[in-house]
Amino acid sequence: MPIHYINLNPDMTFVYPESTDVRIEFSGKGTDLLRLHFYRVYYQVDLSDAPRHMELDLSQHPEYVNYPAELDVRVKSIIRPRILAVDLDKKEGKKIPVKVNYHLETPPGYILVDAKAQPDSVLVTGPAIMFKKLDEIFTQQKEFKNAAQAFTRKIPIKQFSDYYARYVPEVVNVTFDIQRLAEKEIPNVPVTVINVPPTLQVVPLPSTATIYVKGGEKILADLEANDFKIVIDFRKEWSPGVKEVKADLITEANVLYMETRPPEFELIVQRKRTE
């Protein structure tokens, strides 16, 4: 029969998943024993003023078993569990980002651009202890093969087995954005030199470059020069005698690969004239 927990402080919650049922042996008249199956019979645990950790010997409290008084039966023994341990903690609720757990294969010429969950976070309510290191939660793992076009699936949240918690929502919509693989050259992207000492004047050669990029065709179609930055960190890359240095490519676009053409740059370094 089920265990019913009552009068739990609304500011508190279970730390761990609690026992939900108990096995009880009854004795009495045969007909009344059969009638037990048609009534709401349960073992009631009152958590009024319960400490954070409590152990209850169920076998010592047959009076906690609720069954109709008109039935000619009695509790003979409580078989299992004999000891019920209850751990409580302060209840907390927090929105946690969702990370999609998946394995997806695409046919040649296609790539997965992104996998986004909607909503992108889930309200998790549970004991305070579980939030100390909880930065993200995962969906249940799913596998997809030979996916050649975008699609959306409902995927359940992977719930924690170690802690008692509730999740809203318990299922998220995940959109897998699959596009044709494309490539593109974006010319005339300015080259910027940073961390230059105030006593020096530095000019990159060439001052602009072409960026070669690979990614989803829909994403690449809208990319322009102002979507990229070519940055040379003078303090990190240059030293006397160095002829050519590499640059860092920066973009917020979701691309698969990118490189500068040319791959390296020459720096003209001169001291600033003092008046």
Side-chain angles (χ1 to χ4, degrees):
M1 63 178 59
I3 298 176
H4 287 189
Y5 299 91
I6 65 169
N7 297 326
L8 175 62
N9 186 327
D11 295 328
M12 304 293 288
T13 188
F14 298 110
V15 176
Y16 311 111
E18 292 298 330
S19 298
T20 57
D21 56 75
V22 58
R23 191 171 183 84
I24 297 175
E25 183 178 8
F26 287 85
S27 64
K29 290 184 177 181
T31 54
D32 284 350
L33 290 174
L34 289 174
R35 291 171 62 193
L36 274 175
H37 295 282
F38 302 98
Y39 287 90
R40 187 169 174 263
V41 183
Y42 57 92
Y43 192 104
Q44 183 168 285
V45 178
D46 192 342
L47 297 176
S48 299
D49 301 320
R52 293 210 168 200
H53 178 75
M54 178 182 75
E55 291 188 3
L56 179 64
D57 189 340
L58 302 186
S59 65
Q60 298 300 311
H61 297 282
E63 70 276 10
Y64 294 168
V65 179
N66 282 260
Y67 60 91
E70 65 267 20
L71 296 182
D72 188 8
V73 298
R74 65 179 182 85
V75 176
K76 183 176 180 180
S77 65
I78 295 175
I79 301 174
R80 63 176 181 269
R82 183 174 178 274
I83 302 297
L84 180 68
V86 177
D87 289 278
L88 303 176
D89 195 5
K90 184 179 179 182
K91 183 193 294 184
E92 287 192 8
K94 186 177 180 181
K95 277 200 168 184
I96 306 296
V98 175
K99 187 171 183 179
V100 183
N101 188 9
Y102 65 92
H103 176 75
L104 186 145
E105 297 177 2
T106 58
Y110 292 84
I111 62 167
L112 173 66
V113 174
D114 202 0
K116 288 186 177 181
Q118 181 61 38
D120 59 3
S121 61
V122 170
L123 176 62
V124 182
T125 303
I129 189 174
M130 76 176 292
F131 293 100
K132 289 184 177 180
K133 296 182 180 180
L134 184 60
D135 299 320
E136 60 187 8
I137 58 175
F138 293 84
T139 63
Q140 294 182 8
Q141 185 175 16
K142 297 293 181 180
E143 294 190 5
F144 306 96
K145 294 183 178 180
N146 203 35
Q149 61 183 3
F151 64 96
T152 301
R153 291 289 185 275
K154 292 183 179 293
I155 303 180
I157 295 296
K158 184 179 180 181
Q159 301 187 8
F160 292 93
S161 59
D162 295 340
Y163 293 105
Y164 176 86
R166 298 186 182 276
Y167 307 82
V168 178
E170 295 183 348
V171 177
V172 294
N173 291 310
V174 180
T175 299
F176 297 89
D177 187 4
I178 298 171
Q179 299 181 17
R180 287 185 180 274
L181 180 63
E183 53 187 55
K184 183 177 183 179
E185 287 191 347
I186 301 174
N188 302 320
V189 180
V191 180
T192 303
V193 183
I194 63 172
N195 293 324
V196 177
T199 58
L200 298 179
Q201 182 178 3
V202 179
V203 177
L205 293 179
S207 59
T208 63
T210 296
I211 293 180
Y212 169 76
V213 61
K214 295 175 68 176
E217 61 177 353
K218 294 179 183 178
I219 293 177
L220 266 56
D222 296 329
L223 292 181
E224 299 176 348
N226 57 12
D227 293 309
F228 296 88
K229 292 181 180 179
I230 302 175
V231 179
I232 298 173
D233 190 330
F234 182 82
R235 188 178 300 164
K236 182 177 71 173
E237 299 291 343
W238 186 86
S239 60
V242 172
K243 292 184 177 180
E244 293 185 327
V245 298
K246 293 184 177 180
D248 294 321
L249 266 173
I250 301 173
T251 184
E252 294 183 358
N254 187 9
V255 298
L256 179 65
Y257 174 81
M258 57 184 177
E259 67 180 28
T260 59
R261 293 180 177 176
E264 295 182 329
F265 300 85
E266 182 181 354
L267 295 181
I268 305 300
V269 182
Q270 296 178 338
R271 288 195 174 273
K272 288 183 178 180
R273 294 183 179 180
T274 56
E275 296 181 0

